[in-house]
Amino acid sequence: MKEQIGFERLTGLIAFARAGSLGSYTAAARSLSVSPSAVSKSIQRLEHQLGVTLFTRTTRSLVLTAEGRELHERALRLLRDAEEIGQLAKRARAEPAGTLRIAASLPIGIHMIAPVIPQFCAIYPNVKIDLRLSDHVINIVDENIDIAVRLGELADSTLLSRHLSPYHIGCYASPEYLARHSAPEHPNDLTEHKTVNLRYQNTGQVFRWPFRVGEQEIDIVPSSEIIVDVSEAVVAAVAAGAGIGMAASFVADSWVKNKKLVPLLTDFTVERHNISVLWHESRRANPAVRAFLDHLFGHF
């Protein structure tokens, strides 16, 4: 069974490597930021442990013995390895690398997170992204998640957090639907239209449509012919002409840009500022986490 190296012997090997290279205890002590006597005692203990004399000492010089010369090169390799470990740790602190685990709800992941990932990976090619999409709130510590992006008000938490930019919630319909039906001018007019609504997967409740009417915010629950439990399905059904639906602007914007959806009741839309990015204190110094947070905040 191999003998395990002790801390005292390790420090002795470091002192021996420096003294052998620099030719004196004083120079070795200066490079290690310790006293010459500490270097001398450390090397004496090492000689006792190894059972060999490493230096021939005179009042003016420090010369390696035959045994010392043989061991010195090995000690130098040990010292170089130790310094390389330090450099690797320094680079790890400075250069984003490794796997970054991100959790988000389905609509946020599809419309906000996924589109900015390619540019991030082009800038930081040593980072791999593991994006997990679910409308269920998870414990990011237990699930080993680096960054979570959540929609809605946050419960009291020890997690670090920051809001992303506000967005709007409003009504939309397809051009085909509006070709057959007149556009509503007030939320009350929705009773005369077919609607598509969302049911929350985690609660089973249907979405209450918010509107800004004057200085007040009201909400209604339309009698919808179609109810789905994924926001993407709401938008897809509305774009296919199923009726009027309500969606967040970050979900609907691309559909509007492609002229597949038309915004309605724009004077009654509400603004929300409740998309939050969360990360644990232990991830604060992670270069990949810091880089992705900066990237995300730069876009939103």
Side-chain angles (χ1 to χ4, degrees):
M1 181 177 179
K2 291 184 178 180
E3 180 185 357
Q4 292 186 339
I5 188 169
F7 177 76
E8 195 173 76
R9 184 178 297 182
L10 185 61
T11 57
L13 286 168
I14 293 172
F16 164 58
R18 286 292 173 85
S21 296
L22 299 175
S24 75
Y25 289 160
T26 301
R30 190 181 301 114
S31 71
L32 295 171
S33 299
V34 296
S35 67
S37 63
V39 171
S40 176
K41 291 177 181 178
S42 184
I43 293 175
Q44 287 175 10
R45 285 193 295 268
L46 178 64
E47 288 178 321
H48 177 74
Q49 292 165 352
L50 297 178
V52 297
T53 300
L54 298 172
F55 292 108
T56 299
R57 300 166 179 85
T58 69
T59 56
R60 294 186 176 182
S61 65
L62 193 65
V63 180
L64 287 165
T65 63
E67 296 88 349
R69 283 194 299 273
E70 183 178 346
L71 295 176
H72 185 249
E73 182 57 38
R74 294 175 180 269
L76 283 178
R77 286 202 299 269
L78 176 65
L79 190 59
R80 285 194 293 267
D81 287 343
E83 290 173 345
E84 185 177 348
I85 290 172
Q87 291 299 319
L88 288 172
K90 185 177 180 180
R91 287 198 296 272
R93 292 195 301 270
E95 298 177 7
T99 299
L100 188 62
R101 298 173 179 84
I102 305 169
S105 66
L106 187 64
I108 290 176
I110 291 174
H111 297 283
M112 299 181 73
I113 308 302
V116 304
I117 287 177
Q119 183 186 30
F120 176 82
C121 291
I123 299 172
Y124 303 104
N126 293 326
V127 179
K128 295 181 179 179
I129 301 295
D130 181 356
L131 178 60
R132 307 177 186 187
L133 304 182
S134 171
D135 287 328
H136 296 287
V137 176
I138 63 173
N139 186 310
I140 71 172
V141 176
D142 292 345
E143 298 291 334
N144 197 28
I145 297 297
D146 298 303
I147 298 171
V149 186
R150 292 179 179 167
L151 178 64
E153 299 304 320
L154 296 178
D156 291 339
S157 172
T158 58
L159 299 174
L160 302 175
S161 65
R162 177 172 163 179
H163 285 302
L164 295 183
S165 301
Y167 63 97
H168 291 87
I169 301 177
C171 288
Y172 299 87
S174 70
E176 291 76 16
Y177 179 85
L178 294 175
R180 303 190 307 268
H181 305 83
S182 59
E185 298 180 359
H186 190 278
N188 292 339
D189 298 338
L190 291 171
T191 56
E192 302 173 8
H193 288 268
K194 292 183 177 182
T195 57
V196 181
N197 203 4
L198 173 73
R199 179 189 293 113
Y200 292 108
Q201 292 182 2
N202 54 348
T203 66
Q205 296 180 345
V206 294
F207 178 53
R208 304 182 67 87
W209 293 19
F211 295 97
R212 174 67 60 181
V213 179
E215 297 299 318
Q216 293 184 325
E217 183 176 310
I218 65 168
D219 56 69
I220 65 173
V221 180
S223 179
S224 301
E225 290 77 6
I226 300 175
I227 298 177
V228 299
D229 65 357
V230 177
S231 57
E232 281 297 304
V234 171
V235 176
V238 170
I244 297 174
M246 180 167 276
S249 55
F250 62 83
V251 174
D253 282 348
S254 62
W255 295 80
V256 173
K257 183 179 179 180
N258 293 327
K259 298 182 179 180
K260 293 182 178 181
L261 288 181
V262 177
L264 302 174
L265 301 172
T266 54
D267 291 337
F268 302 93
T269 59
V270 299
E271 183 179 89
R272 290 286 186 264
H273 195 198
N274 61 353
I275 300 179
S276 303
V277 184
L278 302 98
W279 63 100
H280 192 265
E281 171 70 29
S282 62
R283 300 296 203 271
R284 182 200 291 268
N286 184 303
V289 170
R290 292 200 313 268
F292 192 81
L293 290 174
D294 290 342
H295 187 71
L296 195 60
F297 297 145
H299 281 81
F300 305 106

